[in-house]
Structures are given as structure tokens and as C-alpha cells.
Amino acid sequence: MKTSCAPNSAFSRITVHRALSDLEALDLLEKRQGSGTFVSPRLPPARAPATLGFIGQQQQVSSETTVTVLSFEAEVTVPPDIGHQLELRPEATALHVMRLRRQSDMPVMVTDAWIPSHLGVAITKKQLQHQALFELLIEQGVRFD
């Protein structure tokens, strides 16, 4: 990468020179006399992409937080927009649960879950205070892909 500054550019030559020197000091750039400035071949390896899938993420959240059940309503008529997303018939009912998750007493997340009645019938408020929803659903045979 060769650098140059036009006389009326928005950056001063001093600013560009400092930025390039800082990047060189971090071993991200390499200056070659008579050739220019290039990306260093000694760059640190890229960070590996996250490997947690949906269940892994849910397990991590569950293990790092505590939960308080804010509301627990069985056999609630599902709002049309939620019913559409869950592919339920109009006027279908569901278990509606709202929970607060805390990390070290700091509130970090409120979850709002609608579970179709045929899946939510066996779930209790007490279970949700001690076990993650996804675990309860897995116990009932729900598969997450």
C-alpha cells in the first residue's frame, strides 16, 4: 500500500505519518525503503468465529444468570402477529411467560416467550424459576436445529 497526500487533502502529512508509524509499531504495517508501506506478513492470527450454536448460547446465558419469573399466564389467546410467526391457527392459545435475567444482581435481559399450549401444558412457574425454558422443551421432545 503506497501512501500519498494531495496538497489540499483533509489529512495533514504529519497525521498520516503518525498513523502509519503507530501501525508499524504495532507490527501491522511494514515500511520498505524505496517500495512503500505494506501490510505486515506477521499479522496476528484472526480470532476464530464463535462456535456456540443456539443451544450452546442458551446454556451459557442460563449458567451465567439468575432468573425471576415476572408473569406466567396459561391458555392466553395468542396475538395475531405472534400466532403468525408460530404458524398457529387464529384464536390459538399459548403459555405466555416473561422472565428477568440478572448477572451479579444486575438486570441484563427480559425474555418474553409464547409457547404453544400443546407444548406449554406441562411447564410450571416453579420449574421456570429453576430450569431454563429450552431444557424443559427438550425434555418434552422438542428438537432445536
Side-chain angles (χ1 to χ4, degrees):
M1 166 179 95
K2 199 141 179 143
T3 60
S4 65
C5 290
N8 295 325
S9 70
F11 300 105
S12 74
R13 290 180 187 270
I14 294 170
T15 303
V16 171
H17 179 67
R18 281 186 192 153
L20 291 173
S21 293
D22 289 348
L23 291 171
E24 185 180 22
L26 293 170
D27 209 22
L28 299 174
L29 292 181
E30 182 178 279
K31 291 182 184 175
R32 296 184 195 151
Q33 186 72 27
S35 296
T37 302
F38 300 88
V39 174
S40 174
R42 297 175 304 278
L43 288 177
R47 187 180 345 162
T51 57
L52 291 178
F54 175 75
I55 296 299
Q57 290 173 346
Q58 297 303 308
Q59 288 170 327
Q60 184 174 4
V61 167
S62 180
S63 69
E64 293 176 353
T65 60
T66 58
V67 69
T68 301
V69 177
L70 300 174
S71 69
F72 184 94
E73 304 170 282
E75 299 298 321
V76 177
T77 301
V78 179
D81 58 328
I82 302 293
H84 178 73
Q85 292 178 45
L86 294 175
E87 299 177 2
L88 298 174
R89 61 177 171 62
E91 304 302 318
T93 61
L95 170 62
H96 182 217
V97 178
M98 291 186 69
R99 294 175 301 157
L100 170 66
R101 288 208 170 268
R102 296 175 183 271
Q103 190 170 35
S104 302
D105 293 330
M106 171 75 70
V108 293
M109 178 187 322
V110 172
T111 59
D112 184 3
W114 291 86
I115 300 98
S117 289
H118 70 280
L119 296 173
V121 69
I123 297 173
T124 68
K125 183 176 181 178
K126 185 176 181 179
Q127 286 175 310
L128 285 170
Q129 290 173 329
H130 302 287
Q131 194 172 0
L133 177 58
F134 79 92
E135 292 172 343
L136 296 169
L137 292 171
I138 288 171
E139 287 175 3
Q140 293 186 51
V142 174
R143 290 188 58 222
F144 292 92
D145 294 344

